[in-house]
Amino acid sequence: MKLGEKIVFVVIVIVVIGFMGRNLWRLNTIQEVDKGIPYYSTASATLERAAMDIYRQQNCKSCHSLWTVRDLMKAVPAPILDGIGSLRSEDWFYQYFSAINPQAILPSRLKREYQMPSYAQLPESKRRLLARYMANLKVQDWYLEETRKAEHEILTGQEYRP
């Protein structure tokens, strides 16, 4: 190796060791515990496959995201479906999917072309299946509580007391 190559190699080794040392130091000094991903599903694999087929057929992804990061340049501001089953029941979802006018159940401020369409034309079995799947999309209790706390404090400017 030439002298210049040796110098570049030594610099790279020093930088790598420096980053490793910094990460090791942060591991030992930062006490915050990563609680992990708060979203999970209690649906069986069979239910999930069948529901995701309907999700794709109805092109729900054009407005909603599920288990993915949204592209903010393309996404419509429709609700993210991760954890939505912790907020609504299976019966509620079935009624919503069966409604001729879903906005009568859950009003929307979106432009008409982006509002939730009616799935009343879908066979009852598909609406029930989709409702069962949505009700199985859960969020960890600690995350739900943190979200409620943050929203309360933003909306009221007061400390949250459950």
Side-chain angles (χ1 to χ4, degrees):
M1 271 208 287
K2 294 181 181 177
L3 179 62
E5 292 172 335
K6 287 180 183 178
I7 292 172
V8 169
F9 181 73
V10 169
V11 168
I12 290 172
V13 168
I14 290 171
V15 168
V16 168
I17 290 173
F19 276 111
M20 289 173 61
R22 180 187 65 105
N23 288 343
L24 184 62
W25 176 78
R26 289 185 76 204
L27 260 174
N28 291 329
T29 58
I30 296 176
Q31 299 299 321
E32 186 176 316
V33 177
D34 183 7
K35 297 178 184 177
I37 297 172
Y39 305 108
Y40 65 98
S41 174
T42 57
S44 68
T46 306
L47 173 61
E48 184 170 351
R49 271 191 302 275
M52 290 310 290
D53 285 343
I54 297 169
Y55 183 83
R56 281 187 286 281
Q57 290 166 358
Q58 298 301 315
N59 199 22
C60 300
K61 189 175 183 167
S62 65
C63 295
H64 297 281
S65 68
L66 179 59
W67 310 124
T68 60
V69 176
R70 287 170 39 147
D71 180 350
L72 295 178
M73 300 305 286
K74 295 180 183 176
V76 172
I80 296 172
L81 300 177
D82 300 342
I84 199 157
S86 292
L87 303 174
R88 308 275 186 212
S89 69
E90 182 178 335
D91 185 52
W92 185 93
F93 282 115
Y94 178 73
Q95 297 300 321
Y96 188 63
F97 295 143
S98 299
I100 299 296
N101 179 16
Q103 282 67 43
I105 295 174
L106 186 63
S108 174
R109 293 182 288 169
L110 297 175
K111 292 180 180 179
R112 189 145 191 72
E113 64 262 24
Y114 298 125
Q115 290 181 357
M116 180 72 176
S118 173
Y119 289 123
Q121 82 285 356
L122 282 179
E124 178 184 358
S125 61
K126 287 190 174 187
R127 285 180 280 140
R128 287 203 182 278
L129 190 137
L130 201 53
R132 189 172 341 120
Y133 179 67
M134 291 295 157
N136 278 280
L137 300 177
K138 303 293 185 179
V139 65
Q140 298 286 346
D141 290 339
W142 63 264
Y143 187 78
L144 196 56
E145 193 61 27
E146 284 180 9
T147 303
R148 285 183 179 136
K149 176 183 184 242
E151 185 153 328
H152 173 81
E153 290 175 355
I154 288 169
L155 293 174
T156 65
Q158 298 175 0
E159 185 178 337
Y160 177 72
R161 293 190 184 101

